[in-house]
Amino acid sequence: MNKIRVVGLGMLLSAYLLSTNCLANTNKLKTHEEIKTISVESRDNYKNTIENEISIGNEKYKLKDIKEQENKVNLTKDKEIQETKIVNTNEKYLVLNQFETKKQIEEDGYIGSLELQIDSLDIKVNNSYTEQYKVTITKNYNNVTQNELNNIPKTIEQNGTTYYLTNPVWNVTQTQAVDGETIPSLYSGVMNYEGVKERTIVTSYIATANYKGTLEKETIENITIKTNYEEIPQEEKEYNLPAVTTASTGIIICSGIILLKRKNIKVYNYKDGIWQLVKRINISDNERIIDITPIMPTTSKYKICLSKKLYDKLVGENVTIKHYDQQFSYVIKDRKFEIFV
């Protein structure tokens, strides 16, 4: 009869502990968010200061993720350029037709359209040469009694040009009979003069015109960094069990508590955003192998928690971490530490 009671009470104790653990695991973990807006240049320095773990009151939080948002702004600047072309005419509208009405510009990340400023057109001689050419004028003399050049000017100055008499032509306009002969009595004269002038021949023109407009570019003004933390689940608490008067049952409960307390290492695995207790182990002072090989498949991220007593004995010492057939040496520096396998 005592055996039945002992077994039954042991089953009740196990069920109580399991239900307590299940309830603890179903609690929703708290989250914490920190938001900081920084300059682009400070991005890397700021991210290096983000801590993997923080404490808020009595609770500890583990870094879950970091999100960045680039805050962009449009910048503008006025732009003016001048374009030059060699043309063969100085006719304004013919020259304007040789310029584009708009220009697409990209400069230092700025882009935009510049428009031709019609009133800015300027046309100047580019290449030219000087040539000489002959000019003529004619002077008529009527009813002249003699066909001589005595009274005819040999040169004429006109508009800065000197004209020289080159080809005088006389015509008889009236005759008379003298001693039975017909002789001229009046003449008309056509005096042809020639001169030399110079003129400039333009072979090409240089035309300049301005373009004006506004350029824009999108740039990162600053960066907003959101750091999300998630509460680290507390280690399993020791729960007070109801007092039992039966002597044999009391022995079993005490034995169970002693067995629990003998486990001086707890092994957690990080899965689905939380730390889950996957193993309790016990090592002696002389034994330096911590076997974290789990019973069920887990992730590669582990946290090992030593009891205070064990930590005090092993701090600064080397231990061996065993995971399946993999082993490596580790120096104990902290009571709680994380490893990847």
Side-chain angles (χ1 to χ4, degrees), residues 278-297:
V278 294
K279 196 172 187 180
R280 293 173 182 263
I281 58 178
N282 182 76
I283 65 172
S284 63
D285 296 344
N286 298 325
E287 186 182 6
R288 300 295 177 91
I289 298 179
I290 302 177
D291 188 354
I292 64 171
T293 304
I295 299 175
M296 300 295 292

Side-chain angles (χ1 to χ4, degrees), residues 20 29 45 91 98 133 142 146 177 182 238 272 289 318:
T20 304
L29 297 175
N45 289 336
E91 174 60 39
Q98 300 185 47
Y133 64 99
N142 298 315
Q146 294 179 345
T182 302
E238 300 290 342
D272 299 328
I289 298 179
N318 283 315

Side-chain angles (χ1 to χ4, degrees), residues 62 266-271 275-279 291-305 321-324 326 328 336-341:
K62 185 73 174 179
K266 295 178 182 178
V267 181
Y268 294 84
N269 184 256
Y270 193 74
K271 186 176 182 181
W275 288 104
Q276 298 179 351
L277 180 65
V278 294
K279 196 172 187 180
D291 188 354
I292 64 171
T293 304
I295 299 175
M296 300 295 292
T298 56
T299 65
S300 60
K301 187 175 182 180
Y302 287 85
K303 180 168 70 174
I304 299 175
C305 301
I321 307 293
K322 183 177 184 300
H323 183 261
Y324 293 103
Q326 178 185 8
F328 56 92
K336 301 177 182 180
F337 54 92
E338 298 177 13
I339 59 172
F340 288 86
V341 296

